[in-house]
Structures are given as C-alpha cells and as structure tokens.
Amino acid sequence: MRISKIIFISLISFLLLPALSMSQTIQLDEMPAGDGEWGYCPAEGSVSQVNPPSFSWRPMENITWEIQCARDEEFNNIEYSAEKVEFNVHCPHRTFLPGSYTWRYRGKNKNGNNTNWSRKRTFTIAQDASYMPLPMREELLKRIPKTHPRLFLRPENLENLRELARGELKGKYDELVKKCEEILANPPNLEEPPKYPEGTESLSEVWREIWWGNRERTITALNGAAALAFTRLLGGQEKYGLEAKRILLACAKWDPKGSTGYRYNDEAGMPYAYYFSRTYTFVNDLLTEEEKNFCRHVMKIRGDEMYNHLYPRHLWRPYSSHSNRAWHFLGEVGVAFLSEIEGADDWVWFAMNVFFNVYPVWSDDDGGWHEGSNYWQSYQGRFTWWSDVMREAMGINAYEKPYYSKAGYYVMYLMPPGKIGGGLGDLTANFTSKRFVPLMTTLASQARNQHWQWWVEQNGGPRPAEGYIGFIRGALPKVKAEKPDDLPLSRVLWGTGQAYLNSSLTDAANSVQVVFKSSPFGTQSHGYEANNSFLLWGYGKRLLIRTGRRDIYGSEHHKNWMWSTRSVNCIRINGKDQPKRSAAAKAKITAFKTTPSMDIVVGETENFVRSVIFVKPELIVIYDRLEPEELSTYEYWLHAVNEINVEDQHNIQVINDDVVCDIDFLRPEGLTFTQTDQYDPNPRPRVKLREWHLTATTSKKSERMEFITLYRPHRVEYKLPKDVNIEQIDGGYALKVKLSDGELTVLLPTDDEKTLNAFGLKSKGAVKMRLIDDTGLTKILSLEE
C-alpha cells in the first residue's frame, strides 16, 4: 500500500512538472552596468535626441525579450510594445510623439517562462529629435537588391554612373583606368601570406613585419581587384574584369583561418572580408556558378568567425577598438552575400542593430572621439563606407544621427587651420590639420555643413576619396563654405570629457590653444592619457606636449611610459599613476564657461580637481586641489620638445623656435626640480625621438595640496609683464595678475562652503574672475551657481 502511494505521488509530480515549469518565474538580472558595458538606455531622466529612442538592457543567455513603452508610469497607456526581440537592444520601426515616456522590459526562456518586469525608467523624447526608425527585419532585408552589384551602388543605378563616367566624372573615370593599367602592368603577389614562424615572440619586430605586411599584401591584392571590377562595370575593358576575377579566385584559395584569418590576424582578416565582398559583387556576372559557390564557401567561414566573435558580446560590451570597425565590415559581407550564404541575413541585421543602438561608441551626441583624432579619422573614414552602403542598399541615411550633425566640430576646434599636433590619443603627435581634410571633405558634403566646408577650404581645399569610392561620391552636390564667425572660440565635448580653448578658430599660427581632458571614458583603449592632463600650443608651435612614440602597440615603452601619468602634463600622488588604460579611471568635466576674452573649465577625479583659466591669448592659470586623505608627496610633470630652462620655480621657460612660454609656480613654495630627455623605458632603437620631461616635487608630505601655476605664451620678441600678487585668505587664495592691456583678479577656493572676499571680489566656494582692460572695461566670469 505504501509503495502504491509513492508511485501515485511520483506519477502526479511527473505529470505536473511541465505545468510547474511553464509557470515558474525567472529572476531578471538587473545588475547595474559596470565599466566597459553600454548600459540601460534610455537612462532614467535622460533626453533622447533620436526618435524613436534606442533601447538597451543587460543580456541573459537563452532569452528572448519583450519591451513596453508607455505614456504613464502605470502602463495603462502603452504607446509601443514588441515581443520576441532577439537582441538585448531594440530600435522601434516607427517614430513617437515628442514628450515623456516610461519603459520596461522582461525576458522569456525557451520553455515559455517569463522573468519579472524590469524597473521602470522614465525619459523624454526631444521636440527636435532626429527621426531614425529602424525598419523591421523583413522590410529592411527586402530593400537590398536581389542581383549584383549591391555594395555602394544598385543595379538600376549603373547606367547613370556610366553616363557620368562619359561626362561629368570623366576625369575620375580616367584616373580609375590609369590605376587599372598600373595593376595590369604590375600584378599583385597572390601567394598566400606567411604565418608567424614557430617561436615568434608576439609584438617583436619580426612579428610586427609579418603582422602588418600581411595586411598590406591583402589590401594590395583585393582592393586592386575591386578597382578593376568596378572600372569594368563603368565601361572599362573586359580585361579589367578578367584580372579582377583571377585575383579574387586566387585569394579565395587562402586558408580562411590561416594567416589572413580574422582571429589569427584581424588587421589582414578585416580588409580581406570587405575587399573580397566588393570584388565579388562588382565582378559577379563574370563568375560561373561553381566559382560563386567557392567564394560563398570561403566567406561563410570568414563571416561566421567574425560574427561569433562579435555577437552577442558587442551589443553590451562594445568598448573594443577593432570590433568597432569589424561590425560594419561584417555588414558589407552580409549585404554582398545576402540569400547566397546561410546566416548572411543575420550579419546584416546584427550590423544594423549595432548602428542604431550602440554606435558611435567613443562619444556621445556632442561629437569627439575618446581614442583621439588619429583613430577618429581612421575609424570614421572607414565608417563612411558603411554609410554609403546603407544609403544605397537600404535607404538609411547615417548622417541623420545627432552625432553626425556635430562630428566635424571636433576637428574644427582641435585643429584650427595650420595647426601641428593632433591632440590627445594614440599616434597623433605630429599630425597637421591637413591630415583630416579627406574625412572632413566627406563629412561636410554628406552632412551639408558649411562651417566644415570652410575648414576644408582653409586647409587646401577638398580631397575626395580616391578610387571607386571617390567616383561614387563625385556626384554629390557641392556645399557652400561659411566662415565660423558665429561660433564661440572654445568648446567642451561633455561625453568625451575634453575641452578645446582657443583664442582663434581661423589660424593656428596666430592663436593660443589649451586642450584639457577629464573623461568619463577614463584611460581605456587608445585614449590612455591621464585625466586632468592638458596640452598647450602657441602661435603654431607645440609648447607643452604629450610624450613618447608608439613603437608597437603594447610594447614596454608604450604601456609603461605612454600609458603612465608621467608622460603627460599632470600630477602624480605618492609616485603613483592613475589606473593605466582603464575604464575605472573615471573623471568628468564639472564646469565650463566661455566668452570671447576668457574661458574656464574644471575637471574632477576622485581626489584631484583641476581648474584651467584662459585669458586670451596671453595667460593660463591652472589651479589644482588634491586631497588624497593620506600623507602624500606630489609630482607635477611638464613636457616640451626642447630642454626647459629652469632658473627657479618662479622663472621657468619653454622655448620652441620663436615662441616662448613663461611659467611661474606660485604655490606651493619649496619645489625641487629634475629634468631628463630619457623615457622610462625608452622606445625601441629604431625610434630616435627624445623629448624633455620636467618634474616639480613637493618637499613635504601632506594630506592635501594646492598648486597655482601661471603660463604666459608669447612670441620671443614680445615681453609680457610678470607682476603678480597672491594672498592666502580665509577659504582660499586671491590672485592678481598684470596683463599687457589690463589686469586679472581671481578668487580660488580651498573650501566649497566658505565665502572668499578680496580685491573687491566676493564668491562662495567657487572660482570667480574679473578682467579689467586699460580703458576700464570690466568683465566678470564666475562658477557660482
């Protein structure tokens, strides 16, 4: 009897198990976003500048999603809902009315069990938000041509391009023909590039030669093939197409997971993927079905390798440098092979979700690029290819994103015409403003921005893209230039935490510029410079600089000098660096005000507040407050192209050719100075560069420290007054500085709660300035709330 009961109960439990499983609620993972994670969007209290907004939340494995967006917090008036959402990001296919909304989401597993609903987040869609709905998957993919070519142009547009090649764009077409003849006369090496020999040390000089050499071999072969195939489409000789086909099929024989494989060497694997795809679509009509299938087989392997690396990780953790070009290269592969390779539709849909929901990564809507101007022009230059593909294949205009309405102002403010030195970020030291002309030419044309067009013309005029990309863009309408007289001289980019303080936007040779960083992105990736560091240019010359020369990424010199706080104009506490190449090294710009005559910007880290005051063009006051809460020593680092002249702490000179910067460490007294032209460690022997590094060290340990330092840039032949009066007062310091045509008075607080009162100025816990010129005209600038 007892056994029968047990069997009966067990049977009932077995029969009820599916129902219990179906009704079980799964716990939703709502852990706050950490360093390196995209975060929940729209965030509570945020204002979306795109309509509809893009939604993002923490992913979970084996879950599909449901999202609701309502006009009220009780979700009685649901404006929008979507179920069976595949990704942890979502952009609706239609726009909303501007105003306030509340959203939430939940997940469902494969057994049909729901999670609990997420917390509610309320946000606003701005009245002037850009309209950027993402078409539904089926509709989006339907827009892509069924036949070839389908990258950069559509089959139905080909005849129009041929007419342009015979007429308005004949000059560009002739350049393409010339390039094709050069390729035929000197065909590329089509042997498969070598792998690293056994025992090759990663990052060594031998490794570097193969790593980059294989990239260049790949580009030479397959981009040449794409140029040949495209030119033949425009009416070029048949031999161009046949040579393109020969190159394509030879490269198809390379091991897809070998020396040019994406995971083995992505610098070769990425260009292989997109140049192969372009050649394939341009030369498609010359390929037999057997040849097409061979190409499809190769790109299935390569595409899957890219997709499996990027998805799903990139939709939540997108802060990887190379991945931020790989995703749209995969998109090109997907468009070229749509309906021909299983999974190509997934690649396109993934790439479009990246663009609409988690891009651009290294900035916010203000523009800029955390990784620096070199990586901006490199990555955005390549992104413009994808913008061309989206426009032609899917009817999506990338330049309607708010970022692209401001992107060019980054370079306009950082690189006034004629400037040398590309600011902060990897590989920027000796750039000139002209380096950015090709990308700015594209941005000005595509975004129809007259200021950017003016900047292009001041730097020698437009430089359109070369080759087939340039031909396709050659038909775009011209943009009228407009001098930026209506713009402020200085600008802060809040998302990247950088400020560009200028005395002129129109001519670097007659301007002084301060660049300042205090970034929410920290020191991660290629934007590794320490927070609260600054750079100084004067009259076309680099005065106070960031230092080092990247011999190879991640070398001893790169990671132990260039990633160190010692390499920039900044302060170290107790001989310690800020966290190196880390998203955890967070900071932010907390205040910024600009006028034609004065600027102030304030940056704040955990224990270090730096205020930069710029009286244009002759005086910079830098006020530092450090509170490490332990007895500490402090090192103030400065760097220059040439040896720095140090008489004493009040008489220091940086000289570069005909430009001088006089430096006066007003506080603290008793600093000791050391100087060297050696890095620690030095770069590899092939790099001969040496720069000068000055360290001012405090004599005593203290739990808090204030530095007050004056910088006076000027041409050698000009003599600036050196009169200065500084007093320590209750709650801070009072500073009075003589100028060439007036006087500056500044109150500098040491206590945010106390009221400062001196020299006829009064302020509670905030920096306040008064500028009086020789005519008696008075200007006040204050950070008081």
Side-chain angles (χ1 to χ4, degrees):
M1 186 72 175
R2 179 179 174 83
I3 293 174
S4 298
K5 285 183 178 179
I6 292 172
I7 293 173
F8 177 74
I9 292 170
S10 299
L11 180 61
I12 294 298
S13 298
F14 176 77
L15 293 172
L16 289 175
L17 193 59
L20 291 170
S21 175
M22 289 292 288
S23 63
Q24 184 180 7
T25 299
I26 308 165
Q27 183 62 42
L28 184 66
D29 183 357
E30 292 192 87
M31 182 169 53
D35 294 335
E37 296 179 332
W38 185 250
Y40 298 87
C41 301
E44 175 67 33
S46 64
V47 178
S48 177
Q49 296 296 333
V50 289
N51 185 356
S54 59
F55 297 92
S56 169
W57 56 91
R58 180 175 292 282
M60 293 172 62
E61 291 186 4
N62 302 315
I63 293 287
T64 59
W65 303 97
E66 178 182 358
I67 184 171
Q68 291 182 346
C69 189
R71 276 294 200 174
D72 62 304
E73 294 187 6
E74 289 73 36
F75 287 83
N76 295 320
N77 182 12
I78 295 176
E79 171 73 16
Y80 177 83
S81 64
E83 297 182 356
K84 298 180 181 179
V85 176
E86 175 185 3
F87 302 141
N88 64 296
V89 297
H90 180 71
C91 180
H93 64 281
R94 64 170 179 83
T95 58
F96 300 175
L97 290 173
S100 177
Y101 293 87
T102 300
W103 73 282
R104 65 181 181 179
Y105 68 96
R106 66 177 177 179
K108 179 180 289 187
N109 69 8
K110 60 184 178 182
N111 295 323
N113 299 327
N114 288 320
T115 69
N116 54 293
W117 282 105
S118 71
R119 58 165 283 195
K120 303 169 185 178
R121 292 176 171 86
T122 299
F123 67 98
T124 302
I125 298 176
Q127 288 286 339
D128 58 349
S130 301
Y131 289 174
M132 285 209 72
L134 172 60
M136 298 180 76
R137 176 174 172 141
E138 184 178 355
E139 162 63 23
L140 184 81
L141 297 177
K142 277 183 178 178
R143 298 181 180 187
I144 298 172
K146 300 295 185 293
T147 58
H148 294 272
R150 55 171 79 151
L151 290 174
F152 299 99
L153 69 157
R154 302 177 67 90
E156 60 266 32
N157 296 337
L158 190 52
E159 188 54 44
N160 179 57
L161 290 175
R162 287 170 177 161
E163 290 182 10
L164 289 170
R166 295 188 292 267
E168 182 182 343
L169 298 181
K170 187 177 186 304
K172 289 186 176 294
Y173 172 72
D174 289 343
E175 291 174 7
L176 284 169
V177 170
K178 180 181 178 183
K179 178 64 177 177
C180 289
E181 292 297 330
E182 291 172 355
I183 296 171
L184 291 177
N186 185 23
N189 180 357
L190 298 180
E191 292 183 14
E192 183 167 2
K195 298 183 78 171
Y196 305 118
E198 186 176 350
T200 301
E201 181 183 349
S202 181
L203 304 183
S204 66
E205 292 296 290
V206 172
W207 179 94
R208 173 179 171 270
E209 185 176 343
I210 297 171
W211 166 71
W212 201 255
N214 287 359
R215 170 187 169 82
E216 292 178 333
R217 287 253 318 261
T218 300
I219 292 173
T220 298
L222 285 170
N223 192 34
L228 287 162
F230 181 83
T231 306
R232 178 246 176 189
L233 283 178
L234 295 182
Q237 299 181 59
E238 195 72 4
K239 64 180 181 180
Y240 298 161
L242 294 175
E243 179 64 2
K245 173 180 173 178
R246 185 184 76 86
I247 296 171
L248 178 75
L249 296 177
C251 292
K253 295 176 182 177
W254 297 357
D255 181 357
K257 293 193 175 182
S259 61
T260 62
Y262 173 72
R263 296 297 281 154
Y264 187 84
N265 177 0
D266 65 355
E267 286 291 8
M270 287 188 285
Y272 185 106
Y274 57 84
Y275 285 131
F276 188 99
S277 299
R278 295 174 190 180
T279 305
Y280 175 82
T281 197
F282 294 160
V283 81
N284 194 265
D285 63 314
L286 292 181
L287 299 174
T288 67
E289 195 61 28
E290 182 180 1
E291 290 165 341
K292 291 177 185 178
N293 284 334
F294 183 41
C295 292
R296 294 163 185 163
H297 169 73
V298 169
M299 292 313 297
K300 168 66 174 171
I301 296 171
R302 289 180 179 268
D304 279 345
E305 188 174 43
M306 295 177 73
Y307 186 60
N308 292 335
H309 175 246
L310 294 166
Y311 172 74
R313 185 181 188 275
H314 193 78
L315 295 175
W316 183 247
R317 299 186 64 87
Y319 298 102
S320 169
S321 186
H322 287 198
S323 294
N324 276 295
R325 47 188 156 118
W327 68 263
H328 58 80
F329 297 155
L330 178 64
E332 281 199 48
V333 179
V335 170
F337 289 93
L338 185 67
S339 301
E340 300 180 24
I341 291 178
E342 182 182 0
D345 53 344
D346 292 333
W347 305 342
V348 175
W349 184 239
F350 167 74
M352 295 304 289
N353 271 273
V354 172
F355 172 69
F356 273 83
N357 296 298
V358 292
Y359 193 80
V361 164
W362 299 114
S363 180
D364 63 358
D365 292 344
D366 275 338
W369 204 250
H370 165 72
E371 292 187 305
S373 59
N374 175 61
Y375 280 81
W376 177 78
Q377 64 91 22
S378 173
Y379 278 59
Q380 288 301 301
R382 293 180 176 103
F383 172 79
T384 63
W385 301 338
W386 178 240
S387 71
D388 291 342
V389 171
M390 286 194 295
R391 182 187 64 245
E392 292 301 309
M394 293 170 274
I396 301 296
N397 183 3
Y399 297 93
E400 290 179 353
K401 266 211 165 191
Y403 174 83
Y404 290 101
S405 69
K406 298 180 180 179
Y409 289 115
Y410 170 44
V411 160
M412 268 197 67
Y413 278 84
L414 172 63
M415 303 294 294
K419 187 185 165 199
I420 299 174
L424 298 165
D426 226 348
L427 299 173
T428 62
N430 294 312
F431 285 2
T432 68
S433 57
K434 289 187 177 181
R435 182 182 181 93
F436 303 97
V437 169
L439 177 55
M440 287 290 281
T441 298
T442 300
L443 293 176
S445 174
Q446 300 276 23
R448 318 296 301 152
N449 189 292
Q450 295 177 314
H451 290 146
W452 306 348
Q453 184 67 27
W454 172 89
W455 185 94
V456 165
E457 294 181 4
Q458 297 306 301
N459 281 281
R463 282 175 54 197
E466 298 179 349
Y468 51 91
I469 303 291
F471 183 91
I472 291 167
R473 293 176 180 170
L476 291 173
K478 307 301 181 187
V479 179
K480 182 181 177 181
E482 181 179 330
K483 192 175 182 180
D485 291 335
D486 57 330
L487 297 180
L489 297 175
S490 301
R491 194 179 187 105
V492 65
L493 302 180
W494 298 96
T496 56
Q498 292 195 27
Y500 311 104
L501 315 181
N502 294 290
S503 64
S504 170
L505 279 180
T506 59
D507 182 8
N510 290 296
S511 175
V512 173
Q513 182 192 62
V514 181
V515 171
F516 177 70
K517 171 185 176 179
S518 196
S519 176
F521 285 106
T523 60
Q524 63 184 308
S525 192
H526 296 284
Y528 50 72
E529 288 94 348
N531 284 310
N532 286 353
S533 59
F534 74 98
L535 306 171
L536 177 63
W537 281 263
Y539 306 102
K541 302 298 189 301
R542 300 167 65 214
L543 294 174
L544 294 169
I545 64 174
R546 34 91 72 199
T547 61
R549 175 72 55 81
R550 190 175 106 181
D551 39 19
I552 195 167
Y553 186 84
S555 71
E556 290 301 307
H557 171 72
H558 193 227
K559 67 185 180 182
N560 291 323
W561 174 262
M562 297 182 73
W563 298 357
S564 166
T565 306
R566 297 171 300 156
S567 72
V568 291
N569 304 302
C570 200
I571 298 175
R572 292 207 308 172
I573 300 172
N574 272 338
K576 296 179 181 177
D577 288 325
Q578 293 178 25
K580 291 181 182 177
R581 197 177 171 274
S582 172
K586 293 191 183 300
K588 64 178 180 179
I589 290 177
T590 57
F592 170 73
K593 290 192 176 182
T594 182
T595 71
S597 57
M598 291 185 290
D599 296 332
I600 182 167
V601 60
V602 181
E604 185 171 343
T605 70
E606 182 180 3
N607 53 17
F608 176 15
V609 178
R610 170 163 274 182
S611 302
V612 180
I613 298 165
F614 182 25
V615 181
K616 306 171 188 182
E618 67 181 70
L619 176 68
I620 299 99
V621 180
I622 297 188
Y623 175 47
D624 300 301
R625 295 170 60 184
L626 302 107
E627 298 182 5
E629 297 182 353
E630 63 177 346
L631 287 172
S632 303
T633 55
Y634 306 86
E635 301 167 359
Y636 196 123
W637 288 75
L638 293 175
H639 306 270
V641 173
N642 302 312
E643 185 173 7
I644 301 171
N645 300 326
V646 181
E647 182 178 327
D648 55 48
Q649 77 173 63
H650 302 294
N651 294 278
I652 298 171
Q653 268 197 344
V654 170
I655 303 175
N656 187 357
D657 196 22
D658 62 342
V659 181
V660 175
C661 182
D662 298 316
I663 303 172
D664 184 350
F665 282 91
L666 296 175
R667 292 290 186 273
E669 293 285 1
L671 296 172
T672 59
F673 293 86
T674 57
Q675 185 172 191
T676 180
D677 67 347
Q678 300 299 300
Y679 309 98
D680 180 20
N682 282 323
R684 295 177 181 181
R686 62 181 165 81
V687 178
K688 306 302 181 185
L689 175 72
R690 291 297 181 268
E691 296 157 318
W692 288 87
H693 323 291
L694 180 69
T695 311
T697 306
T698 55
S699 57
K700 296 180 181 179
K701 288 189 173 184
S702 63
E703 291 183 353
R704 57 183 293 170
M705 179 62 62
E706 293 94 30
F707 284 86
I708 304 172
T709 315
L710 306 186
Y711 301 85
R712 298 178 187 259
H714 59 92
R715 290 190 171 92
V716 169
E717 63 269 25
Y718 296 144
K719 300 301 178 185
L720 296 178
K722 290 191 174 183
D723 300 345
V724 58
N725 179 18
I726 185 167
E727 297 180 7
Q728 188 156 6
I729 61 175
D730 187 34
Y733 298 90
L735 174 66
K736 187 176 288 188
V737 184
K738 180 66 176 174
L739 304 172
S740 59
D741 59 353
E743 183 178 75
L744 174 73
T745 303
V746 188
L747 299 180
L748 303 170
T750 56
D751 188 320
D752 296 338
E753 300 302 320
K754 288 191 174 181
T755 298
L756 293 81
N757 193 346
F759 300 144
L761 274 182
K762 191 174 183 180
S763 173
K764 183 177 180 180
V767 176
K768 190 170 187 177
M769 300 174 286
R770 179 182 64 214
L771 180 63
I772 303 176
D773 68 17
D774 287 342
T775 68
L777 180 64
T778 300
K779 300 172 183 177
I780 301 290
L781 191 60
S782 175
L783 294 182
E784 283 185 294
E785 294 183 356

